[in-house]
Amino acid sequence: MPELPEVETVRKGLEQAMIGRTLTEVILRRENLRFPFPEDFASRVIGSKIDSIRRRAKYLLIDLDDGQVILSHLGMSGRYTLFDAEKVNQFETNGDIDRSSRFGSATGFDGRHDHVEFRFDDGSTAVYTDPRRFGIMDLIDVGEETIHPLLESLGPEPFGDWNSKQLAQRLFKKTTSIKVALLDQRVVVGVGNIYACEALHRSGIHPQRQSKTLVRKDGKPTKKLDLLVDNVVQVLEKAVEAGGSSLNDFADVNGSLGYFGHQFQAYDREDQPCLKAGCGGTIERITQSGRSTFLCPRCQR
DNA sequence: CAAAGTTCCTGCGAGC
DNA sequence: TGCTCGCAGGAACTTT
């Protein structure tokens, strides 16, 4: 589920529910996701209050009032689900909680993948569910964001001061395909497979085109590259407004489905007509670096 | 069979 | 020739 718009949607949801609350209990139902949970994770965060929740690339940064920061990545299948005190009571059981959570299918599965439970002083709870366990959860100190191994080589935020001049510098003389470059989090962060396909389609750029062909000999961006940057930003903005996409029922923390999927022009539309006005082409699927790419060979050059 | 992500490894070719 | 670098592609993690 998670590219920038989905992570941003989750961030907003967690912000509403968590800020100002103090952690009273943290339940871990296994010792690792992609990596082991940090040593004494639960005891180190219990008693701290949530000050703010930030996003960097596809990572969530949960700031605690003691200077610690919970670093969370949703991987491919991670999600958070919030339960207010009343709902927690509804699900309350006397059974002990070991492998499965009592929230069960309320988190989208059977409870076996509810790996972390954060309980707050007002009786509410946030459950982290991640069937594939490609996600990560770590605990760092504020200020460590820039030196953490997972964060240190991240590129610019698309909603920051990112621009085509900067991108042109990064792609100058690069022979790698433009689509693979967009997925490279050192080039720009937050763009994943869906929004890379969408931005390239809207820009009329073939995903296999060599990156350097979008940069002028003098290192300045071409018009096409200007257009691509505009479209990356726009497609991400629109998706944030829509609350993300709903592939595999991606839901925000309250279970509401994002509706950006209704606006897909290329992604997951193999063999369907290209929606660009007057194009008349048919969307194809190819593979690049092991990932599916959807494109219209007629209007994407 | 495919899947929204990221990291690590191998092999190839260019250039010094 | 040998070394390094960039790059493409694949595997790995795992469950539905």
Side-chain angles (χ1 to χ4, degrees):
Chain A
M1 80 179 155
E3 299 182 34
L4 184 152
E6 290 73 32
V7 179
E8 185 59 24
T9 299
V10 171
R11 190 196 67 76
K12 288 177 182 168
L14 295 182
E15 191 169 58
Q16 289 228 331
M18 287 184 171
I19 289 193
R21 306 267 144 78
T22 296
L23 283 160
T24 54
E25 191 180 0
V26 175
I27 300 165
L28 303 179
R29 287 202 182 71
R30 50 178 304 119
E31 73 269 2
N32 68 303
L33 296 172
R34 233 176 88 206
F35 305 117
F37 286 108
E39 198 89 1
D40 303 319
F41 180 64
S43 64
R44 286 163 66 190
V45 299
I46 286 171
S48 296
K49 195 178 73 182
I50 314 297
D51 268 352
S52 52
I53 302 184
R54 293 175 288 152
R55 179 190 57 73
R56 170 73 174 114
K58 299 170 189 169
Y59 292 87
L60 289 165
L61 298 155
I62 304 172
D63 294 305
L64 308 181
D65 65 351
D66 63 353
Q68 297 189 97
V69 182
I70 298 171
L71 181 65
S72 174
H73 194 290
L74 303 173
M76 290 275 254
S77 59
R79 59 175 66 175
Y80 280 90
T81 313
L82 297 172
F83 298 88
D84 60 25
E86 195 183 330
K87 282 205 205 112
V88 171
N89 285 333
Q90 279 173 32
F91 283 99
E92 200 67 66
T93 65
N94 49 12
D96 63 336
I97 314 152
D98 41 356
R99 292 188 53 224
S100 297
S101 97
R102 72 202 113 154
F103 297 103
S105 58
T107 52
F109 297 92
D110 58 11
R112 284 179 307 139
H113 308 295
D114 298 346
H115 307 308
V116 187
E117 201 175 306
F118 296 96
R119 310 195 72 180
F120 295 97
D121 53 351
D122 65 341
S124 68
T125 291
V127 178
Y128 177 78
T129 307
D130 185 7
R132 291 178 73 178
R133 300 205 306 276
F134 288 175
I136 69 131
M137 190 134 349
D138 201 358
L139 188 61
I140 63 177
D141 289 319
V142 70
E144 239 184 288
E145 294 93 323
T146 50
I147 58 167
H148 191 282
L150 295 171
L151 306 180
E152 68 177 351
S153 43
L154 290 174
E157 287 286 335
F159 296 158
D161 59 3
W162 186 54
N163 56 49
S164 63
K165 202 175 155 189
Q166 207 179 129
L167 181 60
Q169 284 173 5
R170 206 73 178 67
L171 300 183
F172 193 52
K173 291 183 178 166
K174 287 275 190 286
T175 58
T176 189
S177 72
I178 185 62
K179 195 252 188 170
V180 171
L182 283 177
L183 293 181
D184 185 342
Q185 302 296 295
R186 294 168 302 186
V187 172
V188 62
V189 302
V191 181
N193 206 32
I194 293 175
Y195 300 110
C197 291
E198 290 299 308
L200 287 167
H201 178 260
R202 279 157 219 236
S203 306
I205 297 170
H206 198 291
Q208 287 175 315
R209 187 161 159 183
Q210 291 199 343
S211 300
K212 67 180 182 186
T213 68
L214 295 161
V215 183
R216 300 195 328 198
K217 288 269 159 52
D218 63 5
K220 292 192 174 131
T222 58
K223 288 270 158 58
K224 273 283 187 196
L225 195 66
D226 291 338
L227 183 64
L228 178 60
V229 167
D230 285 349
N231 277 316
V232 166
V233 172
Q234 269 178 44
V235 102
L236 291 175
E237 272 173 359
K238 283 187 182 156
V240 169
E241 281 169 29
S245 301
S246 296
L247 219 64
N248 278 5
D249 291 336
F250 162 73
D252 67 17
V253 293
N254 298 307
S256 309
L257 296 176
Y259 54 88
F260 187 78
H262 301 161
Q263 298 179 52
F264 287 165
Q265 309 266 304
Y267 186 81
D268 207 22
R269 295 194 63 249
E270 186 179 13
D271 295 333
Q272 293 179 55
C274 175
L275 296 175
K276 194 159 270 186
C279 171
T282 302
I283 301 296
E284 269 182 14
R285 184 170 71 147
I286 59 172
T287 299
Q288 290 178 280
S289 295
R291 317 280 313 268
S292 284
T293 299
F294 297 86
L295 73 145
C296 173
R298 188 131 166 205
C299 65
Q300 291 182 257
R301 301 279 156 182

